[in-house]
């Protein structure tokens, strides 16, 4: 696989691996390989042989793979009858609230996903997770694609605290309903490529729908999703806004009041003013928006590849296509941003059976299970060799190729300068954040978008500078003058 694809395929959330393996951090910045157990996973086997029954409680928000997970859990319990799996899948916001309460009360699940918006460095410093390195084999670690396990991202001082759910590819491409586009007099084989054409298409679809369907449907209740979208459009306009949650500095300041960011937010304001966004959007989470799109309620939806297997199962007659995000009328000045693989799931510091938890992860990330979810479509594994063997769905292949061509790898300070983790641990979120500002625009409560971004940028600048000062980390550690946003960032420099 080419280096570019390896880097990309080492990106977002996907735990994988039977007794095959994971990879050490192969980036140039890594100075220490993750520590591992000198035994295989014999510790878990020993625990099983003790004859004592144990329960593993697991919580995440992976709704698109939950059916496969149910089957996997049943098969796992058949293979290991002394281990009972109690698996809970919740929406992102609900999981965050539930986990926060459970952690504070000392009753966290044995394995749980890192809530959106929380940095692993913060979670580790607050004692949420324990190192899983003593319970993982070198074979398992070496099975992960290059860049999946990075110091400062999933690993601290050589100790692995979390695994990525999947390869991190762009998760904000655009799906379109071909039948609705045709009904509105548009060519479904030539979807809009520029912002103006996209706005015009949304208007025509809304008019043709007569209240039955609209141009665009949004996951408006999920601030994380709305921020990811806004950053994506802003990066296309040259904002260097990077991926969700990443702190980067451009010319000595944050990018949130840049011309590119302001133009991107104005695009959403114009769509809202034209009535082209489905009026229920502000109350919809991602699964609900995905379902309504499949029911013919909108012409366009911006989400990730996880939509594909759900529609194949629940809406087999849905006639949809996938396209790259439209670009500014004067051309793209950047790509759709993404960064390397991000932490997904870890073993609770309170877990009394870490060997059994590690055994569960080892089999969850095994090639057999990973191949199943990849073959379903909508999932890109971070385990070596799985994608090449198992990716068969035409729509998924199209999504993957578009993600590879339109997505651009951005610099991640945590991977390039691990000391920046100290800043992430201290910085406090400024609210309303970008996602909430987007919500305000779609709800019609924010009209002066430039002024709102100026206010937000000023508040963020003060917070970032305070956190950097307290952590003793210079701002230059977050600035990458060699970053050309129309190209993949070169991590080997």
């Amino acid at each position: 696989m080419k280096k570019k694809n390896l880097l990309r395929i080492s990106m977002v959330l996907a735990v994988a691996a039977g007794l095959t393996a994971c990879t050490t951090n192969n980036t140039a910045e890594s100075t220490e390989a993750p520590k591992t157990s000198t035994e295989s996973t014999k510790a878990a086997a020993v625990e099983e042989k003790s004859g004592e029954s144990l329960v593993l409680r697991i919580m995440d928000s992976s709704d698109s793979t939950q059916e496969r997970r149910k089957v996997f859990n049943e098969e796992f319990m058949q293979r290991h009858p002394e281990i009972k799996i109690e698996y809970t899948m919740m929406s992102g916001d609900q999981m965050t609230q539930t986990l926060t309460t459970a952690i504070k009360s000392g009753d966290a699940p044995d394995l749980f996903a890192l809530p959106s918006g929380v940095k692993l460095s913060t979670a580790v410093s607050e004692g949420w997770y324990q190192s899983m390195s003593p319970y993982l084999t070198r074979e398992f670690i070496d099975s992960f694609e290059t860049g999946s396990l990075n110091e400062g991202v999933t690993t601290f001082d050589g100790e692995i605290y979390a695994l990525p759910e999947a390869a991190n590819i762009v998760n904000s491409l655009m799906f379109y309903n071909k039948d609705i586009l045709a009904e509105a007099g548009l060519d479904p084989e030539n979807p809009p490529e520029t912002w103006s054409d996209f706005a015009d298409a949304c208007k025509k679809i809304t008019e043709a729908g007569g209240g039955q369907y609209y141009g665009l449907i949004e996951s408006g209740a999920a601030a994380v999703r709305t921020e990811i979208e806004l950053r994506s459009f802003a990066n296309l306009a040259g904002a260097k806004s990077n991926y969700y949650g990443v702190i980067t500095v451009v010319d000595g300041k944050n990018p949130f009041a840049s011309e590119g960011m302001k133009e991107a937010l104005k695009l959403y304001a114009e769509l809202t003013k034209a009535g082209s966004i489905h009026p229920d959007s502000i109350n919809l989470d991602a699964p609900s928006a995905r379902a309504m799109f499949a029911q013919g309620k909108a012409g366009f939806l911006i989400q990730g590849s996880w939509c594909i297997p759900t529609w194949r199962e629940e809406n087999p007659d849905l006639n949809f296509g996938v396209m790259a995000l439209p670009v500014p009328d004067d051309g793209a000045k950047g790509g759709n941003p993404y960064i390397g693989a991000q932490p997904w799931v870890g073993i609770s510091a309170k877990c009394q059976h870490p060997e059994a938890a590690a055994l569960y992860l080892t089999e969850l990330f095994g090639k057999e299970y990973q191949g199943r979810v990849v073959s379903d479509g909508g999932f890109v594994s971070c385990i070596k060799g799985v994608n090449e063997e198992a990716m068969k769905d035409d729509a998924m292949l199209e999504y993957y190729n578009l993600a590879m061509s339109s997505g651009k790898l951005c610099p991640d300070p945590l991977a390039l300068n691990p000391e920046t983790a100290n800043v992430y641990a201290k910085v406090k979120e400024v609210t309303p954040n970008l996602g909430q500002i987007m919500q305000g625009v779609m709800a019609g409560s924010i009209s002066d978008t430039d002024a709102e971004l100026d206010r937000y940028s000023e508040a963020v600048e003060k917070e970032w500078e305070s956190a950097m000062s307290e952590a003793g980390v210079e701002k230059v550690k977050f600035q990458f003058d060699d970053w050309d946003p129309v190209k993949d960032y070169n991590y080997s420099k």
Side-chain angles (χ1 to χ4, degrees):
M1 181 179 292
K2 295 182 180 179
K3 182 175 182 181
K4 176 177 178 181
N5 288 351
L6 288 175
L7 283 169
R8 285 173 167 171
I9 280 194
S10 60
M11 282 194 82
V12 37
L13 316 122
V15 191
L19 302 172
T20 43
C22 329
T23 103
T24 60
N25 180 359
N26 290 325
T27 63
E29 296 70 31
S30 176
T31 58
E32 183 178 2
K35 301 169 186 175
T36 62
S37 171
T38 56
E39 301 292 327
S40 67
T41 42
K42 292 179 181 177
V46 169
E47 183 167 344
E48 287 187 87
K49 290 178 181 178
S50 68
E52 296 180 6
S53 178
L54 61 91
V55 175
L56 281 181
R57 294 182 299 148
I58 304 168
M59 182 180 295
D60 61 38
S61 58
S62 302
D63 65 291
S64 63
T65 58
Q66 65 175 315
E67 294 305 318
R68 278 290 188 189
R69 234 359 221 293
K70 290 176 182 177
V71 174
F72 171 83
N73 289 339
E74 289 296 328
E75 293 176 346
F76 181 88
M77 288 187 286
Q78 291 173 10
R79 290 190 298 270
H80 310 286
E82 281 85 15
I83 303 176
K84 180 181 179 182
I85 302 299
E86 293 183 356
Y87 174 59
T88 303
M89 194 286 298
M90 296 182 173
S91 67
D93 291 342
Q94 185 183 15
M95 186 192 74
T96 297
Q97 296 171 2
T98 302
L99 275 177
T100 300
T101 301
I103 291 169
K104 288 182 178 179
S105 66
D107 190 35
D110 298 288
L111 284 162
F112 62 90
L114 184 70
S116 294
V118 178
K119 291 296 179 184
L120 182 62
S121 56
T122 302
V124 170
S125 68
E126 294 184 0
W128 290 16
Y129 296 111
Q130 62 177 284
S131 170
M132 62 177 71
S133 293
Y135 314 107
L136 302 179
T137 66
R138 172 56 55 188
E139 183 184 17
F140 174 72
I141 292 174
D142 288 344
S143 68
F144 282 83
E145 288 281 9
T146 303
S148 295
L149 303 174
N150 280 333
E151 181 67 32
V153 181
T154 59
T155 306
F156 297 96
D157 296 326
E159 298 283 344
I160 300 173
Y161 285 90
L163 299 175
E165 183 183 8
N168 197 19
I169 63 172
V170 167
N171 61 9
S172 54
L173 294 185
M174 188 171 288
F175 294 99
Y176 57 98
N177 187 312
K178 293 184 176 182
D179 294 336
I180 286 180
L181 263 64
E183 289 179 14
L186 302 169
D187 183 356
E189 302 306 320
N190 291 286
E193 296 181 355
T194 66
W195 287 6
S196 291
D197 288 344
F198 173 61
D200 289 343
C202 285
K203 185 176 181 180
K204 290 179 180 179
I205 290 170
T206 301
E207 291 173 348
Q212 297 301 308
Y213 54 76
Y214 294 79
L216 175 68
I217 194 161
E218 284 284 327
S219 312
V224 171
R225 286 300 316 166
T226 55
E227 178 167 341
I228 288 173
E229 289 183 27
L230 180 59
R231 283 179 179 252
S232 295
F233 277 107
N235 214 58
L236 291 170
K240 287 189 174 182
S241 50
N242 214 311
Y243 187 68
Y244 171 80
V246 179
I247 297 176
T248 45
V249 173
V250 181
D251 297 329
K253 58 185 178 181
N254 70 72
F256 302 132
S258 63
E259 181 179 352
M261 182 65 71
K262 289 182 176 179
E263 290 303 312
L265 190 58
K266 285 178 182 176
L267 172 63
Y268 278 89
E270 292 169 1
L271 291 170
T272 299
K273 184 177 180 180
S276 296
I277 299 178
H278 196 291
D280 290 346
S281 291
I282 195 63
N283 299 313
L284 300 177
D285 59 13
S288 299
R290 180 177 66 225
M292 290 185 66
F293 174 83
Q295 294 163 10
K297 301 298 183 181
F300 297 100
L301 170 75
I302 303 171
Q303 280 197 37
S305 59
W306 54 78
C307 295
I308 296 171
T310 301
W311 290 335
R312 294 296 195 216
E313 176 68 23
E314 299 178 0
N315 310 93
D317 296 328
L318 177 62
N319 186 18
F320 70 93
V322 60
M323 56 182 274
L325 291 182
V327 302
D329 292 359
D330 58 351
K333 304 174 187 66
N336 201 331
Y338 73 97
I339 54 176
Q342 296 300 291
W344 173 54
V345 68
I347 301 175
S348 169
K350 302 292 185 181
C351 178
Q352 298 299 306
H353 309 286
E355 298 91 349
L359 176 63
Y360 181 89
L361 291 175
T362 297
E363 297 192 8
L364 185 71
F365 284 96
K367 280 194 171 182
E368 182 177 356
Y369 175 74
Q370 293 290 302
R372 291 176 183 176
V373 290
V374 169
S375 66
D376 287 341
F379 186 92
V380 181
S381 177
C382 55
I383 299 301
K384 293 176 180 176
V386 170
N387 298 308
E388 294 86 343
E389 296 174 4
M391 193 177 291
K392 307 298 183 183
D393 186 282
D394 290 342
M396 184 58 210
L397 284 169
E398 184 177 10
Y399 186 104
Y400 180 76
N401 289 329
L402 283 169
M404 294 300 99
S405 60
S406 66
K408 301 302 173 187
L409 185 64
C410 298
D412 182 0
L414 285 170
L416 295 163
N417 301 313
E419 66 270 30
T420 58
N422 296 323
V423 177
Y424 281 101
K426 297 181 183 301
V427 73
K428 298 179 179 62
E429 184 178 27
V430 173
T431 55
N433 57 35
L434 282 178
Q436 292 164 340
I437 290 172
M438 276 272 285
Q439 291 173 329
V441 169
M442 288 189 290
S445 60
I446 295 177
S447 56
D448 191 341
T449 55
D450 283 0
E452 189 65 22
L453 287 174
D454 286 337
R455 178 208 62 78
Y456 177 70
S457 177
E458 182 178 352
V460 166
E461 198 69 18
K462 291 180 180 178
E463 178 57 33
W464 284 7
E465 289 181 350
S466 175
M468 291 174 191
S469 176
E470 186 179 354
V473 177
E474 297 179 351
K475 183 181 284 189
V476 69
K477 295 295 184 180
F478 296 89
Q479 180 161 317
F480 303 93
D481 294 332
D482 57 347
W483 176 20
D484 182 348
V486 300
K487 299 178 181 179
D488 286 314
Y489 188 78
N490 185 358
Y491 275 70
S492 65
K493 294 179 181 179

